[in-house]
Amino acid sequence: GQNIDQPTEMTATEGAIVQINCTYQTSGFNGLFWYQQHAGEAPTFLSYNVLDGLEEKGRFSSFLSRSKGYSYLLLKELQMKDSASYLCAVAARSAGKSTFGDGTTLTVKP
Amino acid sequence: DAGITQSPRHKVTETGTPVTLRCHQTENHRYMYWYRQDPGHGLRLIHYSYGVKDTDKGEVSDGYSVSRSKTEDFLLTLESATSSQTSVYFCATGGEGVGYEQYFGPGTRLTVT
């Protein structure tokens, strides 16, 4: 099975940098996803890591260490619109299934 | 944007009644999923489909059934709704692109009274 842990809530200031961590224990691994979900809306895909290292995409970067069962999402130059829930999800090896963590609610303050 | 719609978007129903939620996609994606999302529990997989008439159970499948007679439609049925099934239900699809990322519909808010 899968066990995924991420902090429940985080607060940061506009313009700052924030790192959202995700640890996982899994019996099968085919990569790790990050999704963003604004309140009352559907999740949307942010990033995918299957190899160790850092993937950068504009203001957002995602890191993976498979040996440590650890990932983080790094958000730079925070904007008010980044206030949302960030979901870490581990991809299984079959049928495209993913197991989601409970999400981290990020609040960006002026 | 994967062109996924869900109907209805909101529904209130009484305990013991059957309910069917519909997911429709226009992207010809092979995989389709039904999740429920509750406060403190994140997204939990109910059932999924890996092709027409090919479905399987997820982690919280009790009390739910699904059907997929066409690539574009995936139906979720609550056989006899209970108050514990009050939730927001999301449909998602996945193609066979890198990492099987999923695209989500707008969600259905279901209240069972």
Side-chain angles (χ1 to χ4, degrees):
Chain A
Q2 319 270 23
N3 186 37
I4 302 171
D5 289 312
Q6 47 181 135
T8 303
E9 296 179 337
M10 298 184 70
T11 302
T13 304
E14 191 176 16
I17 299 173
V18 71
Q19 178 175 311
I20 303 173
N21 296 324
C22 172
T23 59
Y24 63 90
Q25 295 175 311
T26 178
S27 57
F29 183 80
N30 195 33
L32 189 139
F33 294 96
W34 286 95
Y35 290 84
Q36 181 189 58
Q37 184 177 24
H38 285 101
E41 297 182 7
T44 55
F45 168 73
L46 283 179
S47 68
Y48 172 70
N49 294 68
V50 67
L51 300 176
D52 290 353
L54 187 68
E55 295 276 347
E56 298 187 74
K57 193 184 291 186
R59 294 189 299 114
F60 292 7
S61 303
S62 55
F63 172 84
L64 176 67
S65 169
R66 289 173 297 172
S67 63
K68 296 181 179 178
Y70 169 68
S71 174
Y72 67 72
L73 181 69
L74 191 72
L75 292 74
K76 303 176 185 176
E77 301 171 13
L78 280 172
Q79 302 176 10
M80 299 299 290
K81 67 179 182 180
D82 297 329
S83 292
S85 183
Y86 291 87
L87 310 175
C88 167
V90 173
R93 288 202 175 122
S94 64
K97 290 191 296 179
S98 291
T99 300
F100 285 79
D102 289 344
T104 299
T105 299
L106 173 66
T107 301
V108 180
K109 296 187 173 180
Chain B
D1 201 355
I4 305 168
T5 57
Q6 293 183 231
S7 59
R9 292 291 315 279
H10 301 271
K11 186 170 182 67
V12 179
T13 192
E14 294 184 348
T15 298
T17 60
V19 177
T20 296
L21 308 183
R22 179 178 183 247
C23 178
H24 179 78
Q25 58 133 337
T26 58
E27 296 297 310
N28 201 34
H29 282 164
R30 176 183 176 189
Y31 300 100
M32 297 187 77
Y33 313 87
W34 277 107
Y35 294 92
R36 60 178 290 174
Q37 188 172 40
D38 305 290
H41 286 283
L43 286 163
R44 292 184 289 175
L45 183 65
I46 305 171
H47 282 279
Y48 65 98
S49 169
Y50 45 96
V52 172
K53 297 185 180 178
D54 290 324
T55 65
D56 206 347
K57 296 178 180 180
E59 61 181 306
V60 289
S61 60
D62 287 348
Y64 301 95
S65 62
V66 290
S67 66
R68 192 170 178 198
S69 59
K70 297 185 291 185
T71 299
E72 55 266 34
D73 290 326
F74 193 32
L75 304 181
L76 176 71
T77 297
L78 288 66
E79 293 139 11
S80 178
T82 67
S83 58
S84 66
Q85 293 176 312
T86 292
S87 187
V88 178
Y89 292 86
F90 286 101
C91 172
T93 71
E96 291 179 270
V98 174
Y100 297 102
E101 70 267 28
Q102 295 181 15
Y103 302 90
F104 287 82
T108 294
R109 184 171 294 277
L110 177 68
T111 303
V112 184
T113 61

